[in-house]
Amino acid sequence: MADQAFVTLATNDNYARGAMVLGKSLRNHNTAKKLVVLVSRQVSTPCQSVLKNIFDEVKVVDVLDSGDTAHLAMMKRPDLGVTFTKLHCWTLTHYSKCVFMDADTLVLSNIDELFEREEMSAAPDPGWPDCFNSGVFVFRPSVETYGELLQYCTEHGSFDGGDQGVLNGFFNDWATADISKHLPFIYNLSSIAIYTYLPAFKQYGGNAKVVHFLGKTKPWSYTFDCKTRQISGGVQEPATHPSFLLNWWTLYASSVVPMLQ
Ligand code: UDP
Ligand code: MN
């Protein structure tokens, strides 16, 4: 359906590389949905043109010169810059339903069935499972909801300083109200969970549909040698599962690098 879309966000060239890989992975698994990326002006022109080749729509969003409410909210909470930018996804009202995906996620199979879910559907956060992880979520664009979210953000801020804190505060009955809004963990498999519960990963990890490279070290923080297929560097914390990281780099090297040249 044309009025449904996957949406991601990149405010700089590093996250833009993540968005390129995510977009490619959705296309490779034959999604029937539109692909939208929100970018800020900090994303370079070459990266924006690669994004235009992969995504149906590249929308430049800049909180500072967008609508009055967003501007005012931003003036009161300058600390929440990227968060306000992510909330822009609710303004995509030419779509009736969307799935937001962080730029540090990678799709391993077709996930169009997520559009059968309602706002706000999301998977539990591995660190605090009564909160949802905001790296993958189903939502309905709406100017009203957008306004309410900005107001919530301005009044209450974010308990974790990012979008996940705001969204969990706003959609605060997620944990208890409706089990159909709890996405299975395989739609947002955080690499960290692999190490915190290894037997479960061994049992269920093969069913993973989306991996999320959550945390400080992103796939693009490492370096990759195309010839030896070796990944090195970037390890200050529990490393991401090597095979998922290799998936990301293989796709990046084969499909994205040629477009960047
Ligand atoms: N993001 C961005 N620029 C930034 C930080 C974040 O564009 O400087 C976007 C990007 O889509 C990213 C999402 O916001 O995937 C959430 O941030 P991140 O994935 O770094 O948080 P984590 O999942 O590690 O908590
Ligand atoms: Mn993320």
Side-chain angles (χ1 to χ4, degrees):
M1 259 166 69
D3 68 340
Q4 300 186 333
F6 286 102
V7 181
T8 189
L9 162 70
T11 65
N12 58 46
D13 280 5
N14 274 332
Y15 281 95
R17 291 157 77 198
M20 291 167 198
V21 172
L22 169 64
K24 277 282 178 189
S25 70
L26 283 160
R27 292 265 183 240
N28 286 349
H29 293 99
N30 303 313
T31 180
K33 311 300 174 183
K34 296 280 181 189
L35 303 188
V36 179
V37 58
L38 306 176
V39 295
S40 71
R41 282 171 219 287
Q42 280 68 46
V43 175
S44 67
T45 314
C47 282
Q48 286 197 35
S49 45
V50 172
L51 288 169
K52 277 181 193 139
N53 280 322
I54 301 172
F55 288 78
D56 296 291
E57 189 180 341
V58 178
K59 188 175 179 191
V60 180
V61 288
D62 207 335
V63 168
L64 290 173
D65 55 31
S66 68
D68 272 349
T69 30
H71 192 141
L72 285 174
M74 181 69 186
M75 304 269 281
K76 284 188 193 156
R77 301 297 308 240
D79 52 315
L80 296 177
V82 175
T83 299
F84 283 122
T85 315
K86 188 160 176 178
L87 297 181
H88 262 99
C89 66
W90 265 272
T91 66
L92 297 167
T93 50
H94 46 302
Y95 301 103
S96 62
K97 198 189 274 185
C98 296
V99 172
F100 184 91
M101 301 187 75
D102 268 8
D104 61 344
T105 58
L106 174 71
V107 166
L108 305 175
S109 66
N110 186 291
I111 52 166
D112 287 0
E113 69 270 16
L114 283 179
F115 289 84
E116 291 161 22
R117 307 267 180 164
E118 263 313 318
E119 179 176 277
M120 161 52 81
S121 293
D125 184 81
W128 196 268
D130 285 344
C131 288
F132 58 87
N133 183 276
S134 60
V136 177
F137 63 86
V138 182
F139 71 101
R140 281 194 181 273
S142 146
V143 177
E144 290 78 50
T145 311
Y146 178 61
E148 286 163 21
L149 276 163
L150 290 180
Q151 195 181 345
Y152 181 89
C153 222
T154 318
E155 281 171 14
H156 305 272
S158 167
F159 73 78
D160 67 0
D163 58 281
Q164 183 159 313
V166 172
L167 292 173
N168 274 277
F170 187 80
F171 295 100
N172 63 7
D173 67 352
W174 174 84
T176 52
D178 181 355
I179 196 69
S180 74
K181 293 184 179 174
H182 288 223
L183 296 182
F185 200 59
I186 54 167
Y187 288 100
N188 185 351
L189 177 66
S190 308
S191 24
I192 187 112
I194 296 161
Y195 297 92
T196 49
Y197 195 0
L198 187 59
F201 176 70
K202 285 184 174 156
Q203 182 74 1
Y204 304 115
N207 302 328
K209 292 182 184 232
V210 179
V211 240
H212 184 182
F213 300 96
L214 178 152
K216 237 197 230 137
T217 316
K218 301 302 185 193
W220 51 84
S221 324
Y222 298 81
T223 48
F224 180 66
D225 184 326
C226 294
K227 288 198 190 94
T228 61
R229 299 178 56 75
Q230 287 295 310
I231 292 165
S232 53
V235 255
Q236 309 112 343
E237 55 183 279
T240 300
H241 194 274
S243 79
F244 292 141
L245 203 51
L246 195 56
N247 276 350
W248 191 96
W249 271 104
T250 305
L251 192 52
Y252 181 75
S254 66
S255 312
V256 173
V257 172
M259 296 179 88
L260 283 166
Q261 280 157 357

